[in-house]
Amino acid sequence: MGPPSSALVLHSSIDKDPSTSPQGCSGISISTDWILTHGAALGPIIDKSPAISSFVMNMVPGELTTVPKELTSELKFRIYRDLGTDDLRSSSIKEHHGEIVAAWRCSLLKKTFDEFFKTWNFPKSSEFDRSLRSVFLLIRIYDPEPIVETSVEQALSCLLDQAPRNLIRGSSVEIESTPFGNPVFIGSIARGVISNVVGDGGCVIMTDAYAFPGGEGGPVYVIPSNGYSKRRVISGMVIAPLSWCRGEWVDYTFAANLAPCVLNILRKRNSPCSPIIDREYYEDTDVVLDKGVVLVRCGINWGTGILVHKNTGTFLTCSHVVAEAPEREISIVMRPDKPNLRVQARLVYRTPENQPYDVAVLRVNPQHMDPSVRSIRLSHAPILKGEPVVSVGFPFSSSIRPTVSGGVVSKSMNCALLTTCCAQSGTSGGPIVSRATGDMLGMVVCNVLSSDGTVLYPRMSLAVPAATLSGPLREYLRTDNPDVLRDFTCNDAVVHKIWNFHPFLPAKL
């Protein structure tokens, strides 16, 4: 079997009139005769067929279920695969016919959606749509007949053999799917990074690579950078391109992590054929992203903090993160895996509201510092437009490891840094880190909200440059005099105009 690739899955009932735009969903071509796709493929028909809806609703989580013969006539699909030719004068799309022969409801995904995503909103929220989110479908292609027949278990085992067991935040990924389920867009790709791995058994991948409705079922690949292999490695399957958390549009794609999801259904303990991933490189990256970033709590709010000097227990965060102090206690969580181990922090200084640069300095007793944390190094080099960067913070949940978003420096100014990293609520106070050096280039303050307050732009994030932070901070660490931190408060009219620009106004996170 060759490496898995993407496919388009269309139910046979969808009109084949070329003048119309049929909408299906994506899939993973495991082999010449097997397609793995998401339960969303049943979306157009499940509420029209009592038999199919009953079959789906009665699935036992964690058990591979064979489709009854009396349902196969209703579960026929047309499969389209891109042959990858560059000749635009001839079609590179190959059509096949197949039918769903097996399915399973992943118990890991079900638990994660029932618990971790309980308060989230997804497009379409009917009982059927909710029930399909944790469902995998296996389609067998019967046109043409396979030369060597493989069973469901063999197909899934081969897929599992190729999926890496450990996914590390910050590693590059690629999504290949069919946006809006339209054949015109088959094989479209989007690239980003693994932002986080969450849920029961690490079953959900969060990535800042774009996916669109219709992309459900599309493959997510890890792109190794170790030099051993240029081949992308299958790692996930798109399950939710769009979502909202606390009323805020989430600009991340959620995918099923194939290794635990398939391993769970096959109950396969290990695989000798797992691909080699450059663990040393990714682990080093992971340490840089985690060890200097902490969770800051003040009342019911939380944000991100940056350890800038371990010996004195000095942290940076945003002023608006600790706006309720001193009425509310400030605490710092240094280990996301131990959220109840909080250390009380003292507010040394914070800039007044509606003033650049929205900076606060916190201190904790150095004796209470977790020995595993380490200071982040502030960059003193010029920040170049187009420089690859990542942001690190705690959006969505205060109980998981920091979430990473990749991007570039969109614009670099003396008083502000604009990046394309995805900034969501909870990211405030997190670092913008150079992918080349690991040094901190700035501190995230906000994303952008339209002047009428109706549109949020998560991919337009503003940060305070490291050069602006380092002067007052360095003087404070030298003198231990908090008065020198007043230099963070800027009265320059030009700086005020930049940080309160029109027609858009910064939206505090």
Side-chain angles (χ1 to χ4, degrees):
M1 297 183 183
S5 58
S6 69
L8 169 63
V9 177
L10 290 171
H11 190 261
S12 297
S13 64
I14 297 177
D15 190 3
K16 293 185 68 174
D17 183 350
S19 65
T20 65
S21 298
Q23 293 188 351
C25 75
S26 303
I28 302 174
S29 180
I30 301 177
S31 65
T32 56
D33 52 332
W34 287 105
I35 301 292
L36 178 68
T37 189
H38 184 247
L42 297 176
I45 60 172
I46 189 172
D47 58 350
K48 300 174 184 177
S49 170
I52 293 176
S53 62
S54 177
F55 170 74
V56 172
M57 300 299 284
N58 291 326
M59 280 185 190
V60 177
E63 290 189 10
L64 191 63
T65 306
T66 302
V67 174
K69 290 184 178 180
E70 59 268 23
L71 285 183
T72 54
S73 61
E74 297 186 65
L75 295 175
K76 295 186 181 298
F77 285 81
R78 300 198 306 276
I79 311 298
Y80 297 87
R81 290 191 275 205
D82 191 349
L83 300 180
T85 66
D86 295 325
D87 186 358
L88 299 180
R89 293 169 298 181
S90 62
S91 174
S92 62
I93 308 300
K94 181 71 174 177
E95 180 180 347
H96 303 280
H97 295 86
E99 60 187 33
I100 298 175
V101 298
W104 82 91
R105 184 184 305 283
C106 179
S107 57
L108 301 177
L109 289 180
K110 183 180 184 303
K111 183 178 180 182
T112 297
F113 276 103
D114 288 346
E115 297 177 0
F116 186 86
F117 293 109
K118 183 177 181 180
T119 59
W120 290 52
N121 296 316
F122 298 88
K124 300 181 182 180
S125 56
S126 70
E127 183 181 0
F128 287 142
D129 291 309
R130 288 192 296 271
S131 69
L132 292 174
R133 288 186 196 131
S134 57
V135 171
F136 290 80
L137 305 172
L138 274 161
I139 299 175
R140 184 162 203 160
I141 294 175
Y142 53 79
D143 175 25
E145 289 288 341
I147 298 175
V148 179
E149 291 195 4
T150 55
S151 67
V152 169
E153 289 76 10
Q154 287 173 323
L156 289 177
S157 294
C158 182
L159 179 64
L160 179 62
D161 288 344
Q162 299 178 68
R165 299 295 186 272
N166 298 291
L167 299 178
I168 307 302
R169 287 162 299 142
S171 54
S172 298
V173 297
E174 180 174 282
I175 293 175
E176 184 174 343
S177 63
T178 306
F180 311 110
N182 192 314
V184 172
F185 303 128
I186 189 170
S188 299
I189 66 169
R191 288 179 178 163
V193 299
I194 291 180
S195 300
N196 220 326
V197 180
V198 302
D200 196 44
C203 64
V204 175
I205 300 169
M206 181 189 301
T207 173
D208 60 2
Y210 277 100
F212 297 89
E216 295 92 338
V220 179
Y221 302 95
V222 173
I223 304 176
S225 59
N226 52 24
Y228 296 114
S229 172
K230 300 297 183 183
R231 182 174 67 87
R232 57 189 187 176
V233 180
I234 185 72
S235 60
M237 183 181 78
V238 175
I239 55 177
L242 296 176
S243 58
W244 287 262
C245 179
R246 300 189 298 274
E248 181 180 346
W249 173 47
V250 175
D251 203 12
Y252 287 91
T253 297
F254 293 94
N257 187 355
L258 288 175
C261 291
V262 175
L263 186 64
N264 185 54
I265 197 65
L266 290 180
R267 295 176 173 84
K268 186 175 181 180
R269 294 190 176 275
N270 53 54
S271 170
C273 302
S274 297
I276 297 174
I277 300 294
D278 189 357
R279 292 285 299 160
E280 182 178 355
Y281 168 79
Y282 288 129
E283 284 177 351
D284 287 347
T285 304
D286 208 36
V287 166
V288 170
L289 299 179
D290 270 1
K291 297 303 182 182
V293 178
V294 298
L295 178 74
V296 178
R297 281 193 172 277
C298 184
I300 62 172
N301 300 317
W302 78 77
T304 306
I306 304 165
L307 177 59
V308 291
H309 198 256
K310 184 174 180 178
N311 291 342
T312 58
T314 304
F315 293 83
L316 281 176
T317 190
C318 286
S319 177
H320 71 265
V321 170
V322 293
E324 296 185 22
E327 289 78 14
R328 301 287 185 179
E329 179 183 283
I330 302 172
S331 61
I332 285 178
V333 180
M334 299 185 196
R335 293 278 300 274
D337 58 331
K338 298 180 179 179
N340 294 325
L341 295 181
R342 302 183 185 182
V343 178
Q344 187 173 351
R346 175 172 59 90
L347 177 61
V348 177
Y349 174 82
R350 72 181 185 93
T351 52
E353 291 186 14
N354 301 317
Q355 287 280 337
Y357 288 99
D358 200 341
V359 176
V361 177
L362 310 177
R363 265 199 173 176
V364 304
N365 187 330
Q367 294 181 351
H368 298 158
M369 296 286 291
D370 189 288
S372 66
V373 300
R374 71 186 194 192
S375 304
I376 285 182
R377 186 174 58 219
L378 273 65
S379 174
H380 298 288
I383 302 174
L384 304 178
K385 185 162 66 173
E387 183 173 350
V389 293
V390 294
S391 67
V392 191
F394 290 90
F396 318 128
S397 174
S398 58
S399 61
I400 60 175
R401 296 180 302 173
T403 295
V404 180
S405 176
V408 298
V409 173
S410 188
K411 188 173 180 62
S412 178
M413 298 171 277
N414 290 334
C415 63
L417 187 63
L418 186 65
T419 80
T420 59
C421 294
C422 185
Q424 308 269 180
S425 296
T427 313
S428 295
I432 297 291
V433 178
S434 167
R435 298 203 71 157
T437 66
D439 292 348
M440 172 178 149
L441 303 184
M443 182 184 73
V444 178
V445 171
C446 59
N447 50 30
V448 173
L449 183 72
S450 62
S451 56
D452 61 3
T454 60
V455 183
L456 192 70
Y457 297 90
R459 296 280 178 162
M460 196 174 187
S461 58
L462 282 148
V464 181
T468 300
L469 298 167
S470 61
L473 189 61
R474 186 169 56 247
E475 188 66 12
Y476 167 65
L477 293 172
R478 186 183 69 84
T479 64
D480 204 29
N481 178 9
D483 291 340
V484 301
L485 297 173
R486 293 177 181 173
D487 288 346
F488 281 134
T489 302
C490 180
N491 296 313
D492 189 301
V494 175
V495 175
H496 273 258
K497 185 175 181 180
I498 290 173
W499 278 94
N500 294 279
F501 59 97
H502 296 278
F504 304 113
L505 298 174
K508 296 297 165 47
L509 298 179

